[in-house]
């Protein structure tokens, strides 16, 4: 078996072991009523038409917010990163501003953000923030990841600044941008779910709050599991795109 096959097999075995452990903890009641058996929770929620319809409707709302935020955040992150590349004097300030925004807890930023976009726009905005920072870092580092030999060749050949950017800097930044997308995808999903906690009309985050307030433990477990799976799916989708497109610019 190849090394890649062994990694895939070990990953599957690890996931199965984790699922089995979670099932045993729930079945034996080792963590109390707050930890239901995953199989019981899933079948209980999906077997109830009202709960399953509510779950899928909330999932759809979260996906729309995450997708919109991913698009907005990616465009903004790339634009700001490119701005710092074109005007190096702005780069330190942009780097510090992006770092500060990324380190401040969302709970502290929430009151200010709500006044800007309202509760209904919070999920899209927080998703954009989650994706934007990853794309900004990927753009800023990728545009500077030019081989010195290639840069010298363009300079000696008399290439203009515009030709240098279009034919060398941008193609060299593609692998970094694709790597940033792998983080931006899952970051947008997480940001959308967190943003829905601050007054969104629907979404997985809203359903989490509702299930907690009504002590619906099984529903809460399934909603949290759904959010985790969607974030994981977004990550691996971006990884697949990275491998597919990255071969051209490797």
């Amino acid at each position: 078996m190849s090394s890649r096959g062994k990694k895939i097999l070990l990953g599957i075995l690890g996931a199965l072991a984790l699922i089995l452990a979670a099932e045993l903890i729930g079945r034996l009641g080792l963590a109390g009523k707050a930890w239901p058996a995953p199989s019981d929770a899933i079948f209980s929620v999906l077997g109830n038409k009202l709960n399953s319809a509510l779950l899928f409707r909330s999932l759809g709302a979260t996906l729309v917010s995450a997708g919109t935020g991913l698009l907005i955040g990616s465009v903004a992150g790339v634009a700001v990163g490119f701005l710092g590349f074109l005007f190096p004097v702005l780069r330190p300030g942009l780097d510090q501003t992006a770092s500060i925004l990324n380190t401040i807890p969302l709970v502290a930023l929430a009151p200010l953000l709500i006044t800007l976009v309202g509760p209904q726009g919070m999920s899209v905005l927080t998703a954009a923030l989650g994706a934007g920072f990853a794309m900004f870092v990927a753009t800023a580092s990728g545009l500077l990841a030019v081989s010195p030999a290639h840069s010298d060749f363009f300079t000696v050949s008399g290439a203009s600044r515009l030709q240098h950017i279009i034919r060398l800097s941008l193609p060299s930044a593609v692998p970094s941008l694709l790597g940033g997308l792998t983080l931006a995808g899952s970051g947008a999903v997480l940001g959308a779910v967190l943003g829905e906690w601050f007054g969104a009309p629907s979404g997985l985050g809203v359903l989490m709050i509702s299930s907690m307030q009504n002590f619906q433990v099984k529903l809460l477990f399934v909603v949290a599991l759904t959010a985790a799976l969607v974030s994981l799916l977004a990550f691996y989708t971006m990884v697949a795109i990275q491998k597919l497109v990255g071969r051209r610019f490797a």
Side-chain angles (χ1 to χ4, degrees):
M1 182 181 295
S2 64
S3 59
R4 183 179 180 182
K6 289 181 180 179
K7 289 181 180 180
I8 295 175
L9 179 60
L10 290 175
I12 294 174
L13 292 176
L16 291 176
L18 183 62
I19 294 173
L20 180 60
E23 186 73 18
L24 288 175
I25 292 174
R27 292 288 180 183
L28 299 176
L30 300 179
K33 295 182 179 180
W35 188 300
S39 59
D40 283 347
I42 292 172
F43 287 118
S44 174
V45 172
L46 296 182
N48 185 304
K49 292 183 178 180
L50 180 61
N51 284 340
S52 61
L54 184 59
L55 175 65
F56 288 115
R57 186 165 62 250
S58 300
L59 174 59
T62 298
L63 289 177
V64 171
S65 297
T68 305
L70 175 61
L71 178 60
I72 296 174
S74 297
V75 172
V78 171
V80 175
F82 194 69
L83 181 65
F85 174 74
L86 292 178
F87 305 99
V89 68
L90 300 178
R91 193 178 304 153
L94 293 176
D95 290 343
Q96 292 176 6
T97 302
S99 300
I100 292 173
L101 288 176
N102 187 61
T103 53
I104 296 177
L106 182 59
V107 175
L109 280 176
L112 175 61
L113 298 179
I114 291 176
T115 60
L116 293 176
V117 298
Q120 295 185 350
M122 276 293 292
S123 57
V124 174
L125 180 57
T126 50
L129 289 174
F133 180 76
M135 293 307 297
F136 167 76
V137 174
T139 304
S141 59
L143 289 172
L144 296 176
V146 176
S147 169
H150 292 164
S151 182
D152 292 341
F153 175 78
F154 269 68
T155 302
V156 172
S157 300
S160 65
R161 170 71 167 166
L162 182 60
Q163 290 174 327
H164 194 284
I165 293 174
I166 294 177
R167 297 187 178 182
L168 181 60
S169 298
L170 289 178
S172 298
V174 170
S176 179
L177 289 173
L178 293 174
L181 275 176
T182 61
L183 300 177
S186 55
V189 174
L190 177 60
V193 173
L194 291 177
E196 289 165 352
W197 284 55
F198 299 99
S202 61
L204 293 177
V206 177
L207 192 55
M208 281 184 183
I209 296 176
S210 175
S211 57
M212 284 190 294
Q213 292 176 342
N214 293 283
F215 302 101
Q216 295 175 293
V217 178
K218 291 183 178 180
L219 180 59
L220 174 61
F221 183 90
V222 173
V223 173
L225 179 62
T226 301
L229 291 177
V230 171
S231 180
L232 192 64
L233 179 61
F235 174 79
Y236 280 110
T237 299
M238 295 304 175
V239 168
I241 295 175
Q242 179 187 23
K243 291 182 178 179
L244 182 64
V245 181
R247 295 171 185 170
R248 171 66 179 80
F249 297 90

